[in-house]
Amino acid sequence: RGFTRESIEKYSIGYSLNSWDFVYTFLTKRGFDSKLLHSAGIIVVREDDDKHFDRFRNRIMFPIKNHQGEVIAFSGRALGNDEPKYLNSPETPIFNKSKLFFNYYQARSSIRKNEQAVLFEGFADTISAAEAGVENGLATMGTSLTDDHIQILKRNCNEVVVCFDADKAGVEAANRAADMLY
């Protein structure tokens, strides 16, 4: 996507190695309990043999921050044609993707100042727009807009610009979002 080094650092974009157990080995050697890593969604435990392996492999990683700017989950974008294209951390007691926006923490002051939010379809669109000066942009995380999302927007601005892809799925999602926002 041609992100600048500044954006990579600002959004803490990273990479997960193409390894089945690097993260598991790295973190358990440093004293992290495997049960905690599993409940946080960092690793997956295979039921048939109790083998641990990394959830995210060979992916560009986007940390997901809560409204206070704390990392509470991850989303990994597959490189190449791996499926799924985006893989999110599972829902946990502190991560509910239906109640959070990507980039809300960084965009909140600009949203309030401009009394407007720009809703993008994905993380990359939000980051690219920020590089172009649109600092009041945010995105849902692979989910449709929810009533919880709308309540967050309602508390912060009076106007929402929906900026989704022009393909059939994007237009349909934009229409659903517009109906809900209206």
Side-chain angles (χ1 to χ4, degrees):
R1 294 287 185 133
F3 294 145
T4 63
R5 178 167 295 284
E6 291 80 18
S7 287
I8 291 169
E9 291 174 7
K10 176 180 178 181
Y11 294 96
S12 303
I13 300 170
Y15 170 71
S16 64
L17 297 174
N18 192 12
S19 168
W20 287 95
D21 65 353
F22 177 82
V23 171
Y24 172 73
T25 302
F26 180 85
L27 292 174
T28 55
K29 281 185 179 179
R30 280 154 183 79
F32 287 88
D33 181 66
S34 62
K35 289 179 184 172
L36 175 65
L37 297 176
H38 179 258
S39 67
I42 303 295
I43 64 167
V44 177
V45 179
R46 196 165 49 198
E47 290 182 20
D48 60 345
D49 63 2
D50 206 35
K51 178 140 175 82
H52 301 83
F53 60 95
D54 300 348
R55 176 179 300 278
F56 302 101
R57 292 176 306 284
N58 196 33
R59 292 176 179 271
I60 302 299
M61 297 301 296
F62 298 90
I64 307 300
K65 297 179 180 179
N66 65 13
H67 295 176
Q68 291 74 41
E70 301 163 321
V71 175
I72 58 168
F74 296 95
S75 184
R77 166 60 159 92
L79 293 174
N81 296 321
D82 290 349
E83 291 292 330
K85 185 175 180 180
Y86 280 95
L87 179 63
N88 292 328
S89 293
E91 300 273 321
T92 67
I94 61 170
F95 173 58
N96 182 328
K97 64 185 178 181
S98 296
K99 296 181 179 189
L100 291 171
F101 285 106
F102 174 77
N103 199 46
Y104 177 77
Y105 174 73
Q106 282 111 324
R108 181 174 39 197
S109 64
S110 181
I111 290 170
R112 287 181 173 173
K113 178 181 173 189
N114 293 310
E115 296 185 17
Q116 178 193 69
V118 181
L119 182 62
F120 291 100
E121 202 168 351
F123 306 153
D125 297 333
T126 304
I127 295 168
S128 294
E131 286 181 339
V134 180
E135 296 185 9
N136 55 333
L138 34 75
T140 59
M141 286 171 273
T143 59
S144 297
L145 194 65
T146 66
D147 289 335
D148 289 323
H149 289 130
I150 291 171
Q151 290 307 311
I152 294 167
L153 292 169
K154 194 175 183 179
R155 287 192 302 265
N156 288 279
C157 63
N158 295 317
E159 181 179 353
V160 179
V161 176
V162 179
C163 188
F164 286 4
D165 292 345
D167 60 13
K168 184 179 179 186
V171 171
E172 289 173 1
N175 285 332
R176 282 192 306 274
D179 286 345
M180 289 183 74
L181 289 163
Y182 180 74

